[in-house]
Amino acid sequence: MDLARTPWPDVPRDELTVAVPVGSFEQHGPHLPLDTDTRIATALTGALTGVAQAPAITYGASGEHEGFAGTISIGTDALAMLLIEYGRSACRWARRVVFVNGHGGNGPALVKAVELLRYEGRDATWLPCAVPGADAHAGRTETSLLLHLSPGDVAMDRAEPGNTASIADLMPQLRSGGMLAATPNGILGDPVGASAEEGERLFADLVRRAVEAVERWAPRADGRLV
């Protein structure tokens, strides 16, 4: 069910699992669109089975990217409050809610919001768009996924290596000066060599693991489905 296209009398009460993509609007290097995280989260949500897909929450906590033009961040506190009120409202008629997260920086807000919603007795959870072994940002992993999902919006002629050091090594720079201090082109990783074929494989595995997690519905203490 696509909730955005559904008249209210066709929405069953106390039955639906509502899946909500949570993305961001932030730089993704010189070759990927600003809404990359939202696109991935929305595509994953649309591939889930047995859920009602809600429209995406398209802004997130992306303050570390604000050194780059185009980035819009609402911050952790505002995002957490939005998710809390969203969950409270949806759970008045839905059976349960899962937030499908496309941006790692949204994690603290999701944990805070879902922990409170669950404490209040609402069956809310969250699920990351996580690819095992992925590079950190706008590198081969995300570029391959976008080449599969939105090939017309990927400028591979502008793809170039970014900072390929480990996140552990980069963390002091990231904490002190954000992404711009660690990578002048906004990339952590190397998108050169990314392909739609690789993106298709990555996305299929992402869908498989997400579907299994939703079917199990076994949230951890922080509300994340595993």
Side-chain angles (χ1 to χ4, degrees), residues 32-171:
L32 294 179
L34 292 162
D35 66 344
T36 288
D37 291 338
T38 303
R39 293 186 191 215
I40 295 170
T42 299
L44 179 57
T45 302
L48 295 177
T49 56
V51 305
Q53 180 179 358
I57 296 170
T58 58
Y59 295 95
S62 303
E64 69 274 17
H65 295 278
E66 287 178 325
F68 296 87
T71 297
I72 301 291
S73 172
I74 63 172
T76 295
D77 291 343
L79 179 60
M81 184 53 65
L82 189 159
L83 296 171
I84 290 165
E85 294 301 332
Y86 191 112
R88 286 171 174 168
S89 182
C91 286
R92 290 189 174 95
W93 52 266
R95 177 186 173 198
R96 56 194 189 181
V97 173
V98 55
F99 296 108
V100 181
N101 181 43
H103 171 53
N106 295 340
L110 282 156
V111 171
K112 180 179 179 180
V114 168
E115 284 182 342
L116 179 58
L117 289 167
R118 295 188 66 79
Y119 174 78
E120 293 175 345
R122 297 172 174 88
D123 196 359
T125 61
W126 67 282
L127 181 71
C129 300
V131 174
D135 45 15
H137 186 75
R140 181 167 181 147
T141 303
E142 287 187 310
T143 303
S144 291
L145 285 169
L146 261 288
L147 283 170
H148 168 56
L149 298 171
S150 301
D153 295 314
V154 180
M156 283 304 292
D157 59 320
R158 300 173 67 180
E160 59 187 18
N163 194 328
T164 58
S166 70
I167 286 293
D169 291 338
L170 291 173
M171 197 55 67

